[in-house]
Amino acid sequence: MNVISKKCVHLLKSLVVCSALFTISAQANGPVGDHVNHLSKHLPAYEKEVHWLIEKVDGIVSRYHKDGAKAAHADAVVEHWEAVKFHAAIETNYVLVYASIWQGLFAVKESIDKGLPINDVRKEQTKLTQALWQGLGAVKMAATLQDKGLLAQIQTREGAPTNSIEALDTINTRLNRVVAKYAEKLIDTSVKMVAETYLNLFEGVEGELIALDANLVEDLEKDFNVTLPKAIKSHASVEDVRQIVATMTNKVNRASTLIKNNANNKKDVF
């Protein structure tokens, strides 16, 4: 395993801490296992799975080099990833790397399917390997924070928010998961997640927000109903979709601050 620089470790810590600021809900494609709430206990298993994945991918690439694309069975790259518990551990703790892993998986698969030179395939394999190790590093950091009580309990079943602040936190979580699902090339799922997040969550808080900043509400309505779904349906790059989501989450954070400040002002009055 490559040594991660202090700068990278600091970045990992910052990003994992950010995820601790809100409760993470279940995956869009089903409930996660309870192992995600006991990361330290499962770290040895996760690490074995990463080694296993790297070996499996290397075997696929090696078969491609020796016997060609048909013998390589490139589809197995994705199947192997979906079979491991580490899949859920990284998705619930570091969705940015989760998306990068999916990009790497498809990059290896598609480079084989296209019959690219082995050196090009190996380059994509190296990027995927780096993303897997980065993901494991993030999960280890999350395990440390979890042991110290600094990470919120991960919901292994979908739960409804109980107030506007929780709803906005959940919106940000789901928007980040849209990026992850888009990286998986699940276009219809991504579009559906955007629509459901708007209908089931944002519409529930927009009435309160309109009184505080009507322009912000209008901007987010356009983002949910036009900008983001249009980018997904037009097959924009993952980075472009990520940037749109980043802009949206900044707006959602502004909305959360407005609601918190408004609540505090009401307390001061009384």
Side-chain angles (χ1 to χ4, degrees), residues 236-254:
S237 70
V238 173
E239 185 56 35
D240 286 345
V241 172
R242 196 198 308 274
Q243 287 300 320
I244 292 170
V245 166
T247 300
M248 291 178 69
T249 56
N250 285 336
K251 293 175 184 177
V252 172
N253 289 337
R254 281 168 50 199

Side-chain angles (χ1 to χ4, degrees), residues 11 19 51 78 89 106 114 135-136 149 164 170 189 205 216 220-221 232 243:
L11 177 60
S19 73
H51 281 288
V78 175
F106 278 106
K114 292 176 182 177
L136 182 63
S164 296
T170 303
T189 298
V205 300
L216 178 59
L220 280 166
E221 285 180 329
I232 293 171
Q243 287 300 320

Side-chain angles (χ1 to χ4, degrees), residues 3-177:
V3 177
I4 302 176
S5 68
K6 291 183 179 179
K7 185 175 181 180
C8 289
V9 170
H10 178 71
L11 177 60
L12 284 173
K13 183 181 290 187
S14 298
L15 289 168
V16 173
V17 168
C18 286
S19 73
L21 297 178
F22 48 81
T23 301
I24 302 174
S25 61
Q27 298 177 88
N29 57 349
V32 301
D34 194 52
H35 64 93
V36 296
N37 286 314
H38 307 281
L39 293 174
S40 291
K41 179 181 178 181
H42 292 89
L43 283 177
Y46 297 150
E47 188 157 356
K48 286 182 180 178
E49 288 179 339
V50 170
H51 281 288
W52 180 79
L53 284 166
I54 290 171
E55 290 174 2
K56 287 294 185 181
V57 173
D58 187 64
I60 289 169
V61 174
S62 295
R63 284 197 300 275
Y64 170 67
H65 187 205
K66 182 180 178 181
D67 300 316
K70 187 174 181 179
H73 298 295
D75 288 345
V77 171
V78 175
E79 293 170 5
H80 292 325
W81 167 243
E82 292 179 333
V84 297
K85 288 184 176 181
F86 178 65
H87 178 284
I90 188 61
E91 182 178 3
T92 53
N93 286 288
Y94 197 9
V95 74
L96 298 180
V97 169
Y98 178 79
S100 296
I101 290 172
W102 273 104
Q103 286 177 265
L105 292 165
F106 278 106
V108 171
K109 177 186 179 302
E110 290 174 355
S111 62
I112 290 174
D113 290 342
K114 292 176 182 177
L116 296 184
I118 186 61
N119 287 342
D120 292 345
V121 180
R122 289 292 186 190
K123 287 179 182 178
E124 299 301 340
Q125 180 188 357
T126 298
K127 292 177 186 177
L128 172 59
T129 299
Q130 291 171 343
L132 287 168
W133 284 125
Q134 187 181 11
L136 182 63
V139 171
K140 287 181 177 180
M141 184 65 67
T144 299
L145 296 173
Q146 191 178 74
D147 291 343
K148 294 179 179 179
L150 298 176
L151 282 186
Q153 181 87 356
I154 295 171
Q155 297 175 12
T156 56
R157 293 290 187 275
E158 191 72 41
T162 59
N163 56 56
S164 296
I165 300 301
E166 287 185 7
L168 291 168
D169 286 343
T170 303
I171 287 171
N172 274 348
T173 302
R174 292 193 182 178
L175 285 173
N176 282 321
R177 299 220 179 286

